[in-house]
Amino acid sequence: MTDNRRLEFGWFLPTAGDTTAYGLASAQIAPSLELFDKVVQSAEAAGFEYMLVPVQTACWEAWISSAMMVARSKSMRMLVAARPSYINPVLLAKMITAFDQLSGGRICINLIAGQSEAENASEGVKWGKEERYEIMDEEVSILKALWTTRGPVDFDGKFYQLKGAQIRPYPLQTPHPRFYLGGGSRQAWEISAKHSDVHLFWGDTYERIRANMAEIRQMAAAHGREKQIGFGMRLQIVCRETEKEAWDFAHGLVEHASAAQKAFVKERFATSEANRRVRELAAIGEVIEKNLWTGITQVRPGAGIAIVGNPEQCAQTLQNFVDLGCHSFCLSGYLHDEEAERFGKWVMPILRERNKERMLAA
């Protein structure tokens, strides 16, 4: 199925800080308002439309950070994580709609069930992974009901029971802010099929992405959403003027990481299906497709597959995913302000030229 919806590009807000070399103390940049301003301003100037704001123990709190940065930017939307059982869904619905109204519609929601069981336990989340997805399903159903029903809402679920719930204000966006989800398990796919506007894949082989898209679209059809669900990629990027410069920086980014750091990433996130898949890809080899590198997966959890190359190679790799049917690209790179600038100057023009009818004007 061809998906001709408009292409969109998002960038990453490094709320745990930034670096040019994992494991090298002198290369670390601490999180701060100054850092966040630099990254958001660079991303906005480069043509990115939304910022992914992460949630993890090491990160600054996402909702407060997002509210600050949406007020300090001109057009950037914030992609903020809603994690199951963290916030009462009625309060969450009100938080999101207040954000939506006050920002002029600049919020979208990232559905995350939690990559690490140890992290969930440390924060008092008693539910296992399967139950967290069940809770997420109920919470998103409640959000949608509260946002689209003009009157009291009743809900009788396994985890939540509401009688006559109402909220103010209602969303500015119609029918409500969009939902994104990145997850590799069947349960995650089912939530995406039922609720998401965009399913974000982490980097993988082209054939694997093609097959997964077909399967999730088929699952969405069971909910009457085959044409509603869209697909995207969450990727790192290392773009330099020459391919050699790009690979030199990429290898330098991870060469100082200690064995203890690599073991921590591997063990703490072992129960995540998406993290298991990136480790599987890394075991296959350093490069899984031309210019698609697994190296960063050793030193950080999550979406560590990176596009590495010169501007033409980076643009072509992204174009390959566009041609597969992806329309949303959530990217990040090091340093985040500088990589955003390079992308806007070198890669974005190539993609605009090749996808004139599907991208906004510069």
Side-chain angles (χ1 to χ4, degrees):
M1 178 181 291
T2 302
D3 188 342
N4 289 317
R5 69 188 77 194
R6 187 176 65 79
L7 302 184
E8 64 172 13
F9 291 83
W11 198 244
F12 181 83
L13 187 65
T15 57
D18 213 345
T19 188
T20 53
Y22 280 93
L24 189 62
S26 61
Q28 309 307 309
I29 298 175
S32 67
L33 182 59
E34 180 184 10
L35 171 63
F36 300 170
D37 273 339
K38 286 172 65 176
V39 173
V40 172
Q41 289 166 13
S42 295
E44 202 164 51
F48 290 97
E49 299 175 47
Y50 68 87
M51 298 295 302
L52 172 61
V53 186
V55 286
Q56 196 190 328
T57 300
C59 298
W60 286 20
E61 201 283 316
W63 286 96
I64 300 300
S65 299
S66 296
M68 283 289 291
M69 299 322 297
V70 82
R72 296 171 69 87
S73 59
K74 297 175 182 177
S75 61
M76 194 67 76
R77 287 184 286 127
M78 297 291 152
L79 177 55
V80 195
R83 294 188 287 178
S85 80
Y86 272 78
I87 302 174
N88 175 281
V90 180
L91 174 58
L92 183 60
K94 296 183 72 170
M95 288 170 56
I96 294 169
T97 55
F99 197 121
D100 195 39
Q101 289 284 350
L102 292 170
S103 68
R106 290 195 284 144
I107 187 170
C108 38
I109 309 305
N110 193 20
L111 298 174
I112 297 177
Q115 298 182 57
S116 166
E117 296 306 309
E119 187 168 90
N120 279 292
S122 75
E123 297 180 358
V125 178
K126 62 182 180 179
W127 310 107
K129 184 178 178 182
E130 290 188 2
E131 289 173 310
R132 292 199 303 273
Y133 275 114
E134 291 179 22
I135 294 169
M136 179 183 285
D137 184 19
E138 288 195 13
E139 289 183 354
V140 177
S141 297
I142 289 170
L143 293 178
K144 289 183 173 181
L146 289 169
W147 291 340
T148 59
T149 303
R150 295 302 184 260
V153 170
D154 295 338
F155 186 87
D156 186 17
K158 177 180 176 181
F159 299 94
Y160 294 104
Q161 295 80 41
L162 307 178
K163 295 190 181 299
Q166 297 187 63
I167 63 162
R168 299 291 187 277
Y170 288 106
L172 178 64
Q173 297 178 72
T174 56
H176 49 68
R178 295 198 298 164
F179 289 97
Y180 292 64
L181 186 149
S185 69
R186 298 287 305 183
Q187 226 177 345
W189 287 8
E190 181 57 37
I191 295 292
S192 255
K194 185 176 179 180
H195 290 300
S196 293
D197 297 281
V198 179
H199 184 90
L200 284 172
F201 294 109
W202 294 358
D204 212 315
T205 64
Y206 298 132
E207 188 54 44
R208 181 70 168 247
I209 296 297
R210 181 186 290 109
N212 290 352
M213 286 172 61
E215 192 165 354
I216 294 173
R217 190 176 280 122
Q218 187 174 21
M219 294 167 73
H223 300 283
R225 303 187 68 249
E226 183 181 11
K227 295 182 179 179
Q228 280 71 46
I229 192 164
F231 298 98
M233 298 299 304
R234 169 74 183 101
L235 294 162
Q236 306 281 336
I237 189 158
V238 179
C239 185
R240 298 296 184 271
E241 288 192 272
T242 68
E243 184 177 15
K244 182 182 185 305
E245 287 178 281
W247 281 112
D248 286 348
F249 179 85
H251 291 134
L253 186 63
V254 301
E255 68 180 355
H256 297 282
S258 66
Q261 182 176 3
K262 294 177 181 179
F264 175 82
V265 171
K266 184 176 181 180
E267 294 163 10
R268 190 169 176 86
F269 301 91
T271 59
S272 162
E273 180 62 26
N275 278 285
R276 184 203 61 77
R277 175 58 180 168
V278 296
R279 288 195 303 274
E280 183 180 280
L281 288 168
I284 293 171
E286 186 181 52
V287 178
I288 57 171
E289 298 278 8
K290 182 175 171 55
N291 300 107
L292 271 181
W293 181 56
T294 64
I296 299 175
T297 63
Q298 304 171 62
V299 297
R300 77 181 294 278
I305 305 297
I307 301 171
V308 181
N310 62 40
E312 172 60 34
Q313 291 169 325
C314 291
Q316 184 56 54
T317 304
L318 288 165
Q319 188 65 49
N320 292 341
F321 287 114
V322 171
D323 295 342
L324 281 176
C326 295
H327 81 278
S328 185
F329 294 89
C330 187
L331 308 175
S332 53
Y334 306 88
L335 293 169
H336 283 77
D337 57 324
E338 296 176 2
E339 194 68 62
E341 290 174 8
R342 283 188 289 270
F343 190 89
K345 182 169 63 174
W346 294 340
V347 183
M348 198 77 85
I350 300 173
L351 292 169
R352 285 197 181 101
E353 180 62 29
R354 294 179 182 175
N355 304 276
K356 290 180 179 178
E357 296 181 0
R358 297 185 62 190
M359 291 183 68
L360 292 173

